[in-house]
Amino acid sequence: MAQNPVKITETVLRDGHQSLVATRMRIEDMLPQLQALDAIGYNALEAWGGATFDTCLRFLDEDPWERLDTLKKNLKTPIQMLLRGQNLLGYNHYSNDVVHAFVRKASEHGIGVFRIFDALNDVRNLKVAIEAALECPEKPHVQGCLVYTISPVHTNEKFVELAKELEDMGCHSVCIKDMSGLLKPYVAEDLVKKLKAALHIPIELHTHCTSGFGHATYLKAVEAGVDIIDCALAPFSSDTSQPCTETMVAALEGTDRDTGLDRQAMTPIAKHFLGVKQRIIGEFKLKGYFDINPNVLDFQIPGGMLSNLANQLKEAGMEDKYQDLLDEMPKVRADVGYPPLVTPSSQIVGTMATFNVMSGERYKMVPKEFKDLARGKFGRTPVPVERDFLINTLGVKPEEIIEDCSIEDAKGMSFADFKKELQDKGFLNPTDEDVLSYALFPQVAEEFFKKHYQAVTAYKR
Ligand code: CO
């Protein structure tokens, strides 16, 4: 047994299929291998949150809460979810009581690791979700994220400061979340060394192979002392997904950071998931995923989004504008204060860049969400957005500019408001879980309930 084994979090059940096959894996695809996955000895199995919740309701006719129950029934390994702070899994800031209710329910249903991030790295957007997770009676592991990006204002020193804040807030570990695979090997080495020196809690690294660095970045991070790395089994690894589990296990065999995991035991599991991937690509007629592209360092678009943008242009008959779009992304990002590009900022910046390219005139049409991001509604951007740009280019009124957004007074609808709204629509006795699904994805959840509630006099659960 190695002195200081690297732990592995397996992402095949969440980020792996979110990055490569548009999050279309069903619980039936997972069930046959849960026992085998459980026996490997992973640090955690990432299996919930991110886009899985929305996709369950929207495309797979699955109740995400029931999926979690099934996972929990079959797994002793901690189940990890990805949570977007005050956004939860939706696209708005929710009121504090909705955040508390959601986190409490997720913990009750079996989440063992809450990985919590904010697209702008604004800790005010993380505070309530972190507190809610720390208060759960099941005592889940609470992890805070540094959303990694490159810009003229992002430095390793700044990331270390942010990590210290997360530690002070009570997080049990910190994750470097490199959703677009921008973290270069030697930069990772430096960042991990600095974090290990400054913090007392474990450091985890999450990357994607989008620009081709993945495995090399993990190796340098391991040498620098990173505690946990996120990997996906071979069929759901590489390209826009995580580095490969089996490869990393093999690479570290016989070293003082040997994972101790049984690579042979992974072979039949990987074989099963290769079949699942092929089936999904055929069933949903997916275009397939994108290969390694080092230019992602410039346009910084996260894995899942590239294909969406390409499709948007295709639908508009403007496929030839693809390169223009990739060139426009970094310009729009600079205009709006260099936010890291991750949900929801990636969609917001991506849509704005698409509009600019399609209309042939910059900022002719400006979506509401882009104005909101620019005027500070979602929190502080890494660099303040120029007032002149806000007022004269985007048409934001001076009184709409939010100088010091405080999430404490998030004024969204309360849990009771959402419940009442659902009851007013004729769903008389929704469960708390249903109310939360509805709060996050109102139209999608309503359609789902119509199919699954028995309509007697009204819809009854
Ligand atoms: Co990811």
Side-chain angles (χ1 to χ4, degrees):
M1 187 73 182
Q3 271 187 326
N4 184 17
V6 176
K7 293 178 185 168
I8 291 186
T9 290
E10 173 62 53
T11 66
V12 66
L13 304 179
R14 205 287 297 178
D15 209 355
H17 69 104
Q18 180 168 331
S19 295
L20 297 186
V21 295
T23 336
R24 295 297 198 275
M25 203 187 283
R26 293 190 167 88
I27 186 70
E28 293 84 51
D29 298 324
M30 305 176 186
L31 262 174
Q33 296 300 324
L34 290 183
Q35 214 184 346
L37 282 169
D38 206 27
I40 296 287
Y42 287 118
N43 174 67
L45 280 158
E46 188 183 64
W48 212 64
T52 62
F53 197 98
D54 186 4
T55 319
C56 271
L57 292 168
R58 195 185 296 263
F59 299 114
L60 303 177
D61 197 30
E62 249 186 75
D63 186 326
W65 298 100
E66 281 172 21
R67 175 184 286 196
L68 181 52
D69 289 340
T70 308
L71 291 167
K72 182 64 189 166
K73 220 181 291 163
N74 289 279
L75 295 171
K76 286 182 197 69
T77 308
I79 300 169
Q80 177 170 300
M81 82 165 292
L82 180 64
L83 189 73
R84 285 198 290 277
Q86 202 80 18
N87 275 182
L88 297 174
L89 302 171
Y91 300 100
N92 301 309
H93 273 155
Y94 294 95
S95 65
N96 292 348
D97 82 314
V98 173
V99 174
H100 272 272
F102 185 90
V103 169
R104 178 60 68 94
K105 275 290 163 197
S107 172
E108 208 178 290
H109 281 261
I111 292 301
V113 181
F114 283 91
R115 172 175 289 175
I116 306 174
F117 78 97
D118 174 60
L120 296 175
N121 284 321
D122 188 334
V123 289
R124 296 169 305 177
N125 290 333
L126 298 170
K127 192 170 165 270
V128 179
I130 288 174
E131 278 171 7
L134 288 171
E135 281 167 15
C136 289
E138 297 84 11
K139 302 255 171 267
H141 182 100
V142 183
Q143 181 176 72
C145 286
L146 317 174
V147 174
Y148 185 76
T149 190
I150 307 173
S151 86
V153 294
H154 289 88
T155 61
N156 280 355
E157 288 71 21
K158 283 253 178 68
F159 281 120
V160 173
E161 277 171 34
L162 174 59
K164 274 200 217 146
E165 271 188 83
L166 295 171
E167 185 176 54
D168 291 344
M169 287 164 85
C171 288
H172 303 126
S173 63
V174 163
C175 175
I176 307 164
K177 180 176 161 56
D178 177 27
M179 59 282 162
S180 306
L182 304 172
L183 183 58
K184 298 175 188 170
Y186 293 97
V187 180
E189 181 182 34
D190 179 65
L191 179 56
V192 170
K193 271 189 189 156
K194 288 193 166 93
L195 287 169
K196 288 302 288 179
L199 271 67
H200 305 285
I201 52 179
I203 307 299
E204 181 156 356
L205 178 54
H206 174 92
T207 195
H208 288 249
C209 296
T210 323
S211 55
F213 297 135
H215 298 86
T217 294
Y218 275 177
L219 211 53
K220 291 313 288 181
V222 164
E223 287 173 14
V226 81
D227 298 279
I228 312 158
I229 53 176
D230 287 8
C231 301
L233 285 166
F236 279 98
S237 76
S238 306
D239 300 317
T240 48
S241 180
Q242 270 74 66
C244 172
T245 311
E246 299 92 313
T247 305
M248 287 312 303
V249 169
L252 298 171
E253 270 163 10
T255 71
D256 63 344
R257 305 229 52 202
D258 193 328
T259 64
L261 302 185
D262 179 0
R263 201 153 42 86
Q264 306 307 328
M266 296 173 186
T267 306
I269 312 177
K271 194 174 166 222
H272 166 83
F273 284 111
L274 177 61
V276 168
K277 182 169 86 169
Q278 288 163 341
R279 201 218 74 231
I280 295 175
I281 288 177
E283 180 187 340
F284 292 96
K285 300 192 175 55
L286 297 173
K287 212 170 128 203
Y289 39 86
F290 283 78
D291 297 326
I292 282 177
N293 186 347
N295 295 330
V296 77
L297 287 169
D298 305 314
F299 57 73
Q300 296 204 11
I301 303 174
M305 222 201 141
L306 269 176
S307 54
N308 283 339
L309 288 174
N311 283 326
Q312 275 182 32
L313 283 177
K314 201 175 162 195
E315 277 166 27
M318 301 176 99
E319 278 162 290
D320 56 317
K321 297 270 200 234
Y322 189 59
Q323 189 55 47
D324 293 348
L325 177 61
L326 297 186
D327 295 339
E328 178 65 8
M329 284 287 289
K331 292 180 196 156
V332 172
R333 178 171 175 250
D335 286 341
V336 79
Y338 294 108
L341 296 184
V342 64
T343 307
S345 57
S346 52
Q347 281 82 353
I348 296 172
V349 172
T351 305
M352 187 69 252
T354 310
F355 278 23
N356 284 354
V357 166
M358 293 201 325
S359 73
E361 191 182 330
R362 304 190 77 215
Y363 304 110
K364 192 178 168 195
M365 293 179 295
V366 182
K368 181 179 172 295
E369 289 73 21
F370 188 79
K371 274 189 202 176
D372 286 344
L373 173 65
R375 72 188 176 90
K377 192 189 164 195
F378 302 129
R380 210 177 275 134
T381 51
V383 172
V385 179
E386 298 276 346
R387 259 187 105 78
D388 175 58
F389 174 75
L390 277 168
I391 294 167
N392 298 321
T393 308
L394 301 185
V396 172
K397 295 190 191 85
E399 65 271 21
E400 291 171 336
I401 299 172
I402 301 171
E403 304 283 358
D404 189 30
C405 126
S406 171
I407 201 59
E408 251 94 355
D409 41 49
K411 298 221 172 41
M413 283 167 68
S414 69
F415 184 86
D417 295 334
F418 283 115
K419 185 166 184 175
K420 169 112 194 347
E421 200 174 275
L422 204 45
Q423 286 169 326
D424 289 346
K425 286 175 186 258
F427 301 96
L428 297 186
N429 59 343
T431 62
D432 288 354
E433 289 80 354
D434 288 346
V435 175
L436 291 165
S437 300
Y438 177 72
L440 296 180
F441 300 103
Q443 285 98 6
V444 177
E446 193 179 333
E447 286 306 309
F448 182 84
F449 299 152
K450 277 183 186 161
K451 264 188 269 171
H452 292 269
Y453 277 52
Q454 286 177 314
V456 188
T457 47
Y459 300 104
K460 263 195 154 181
R461 184 72 162 164

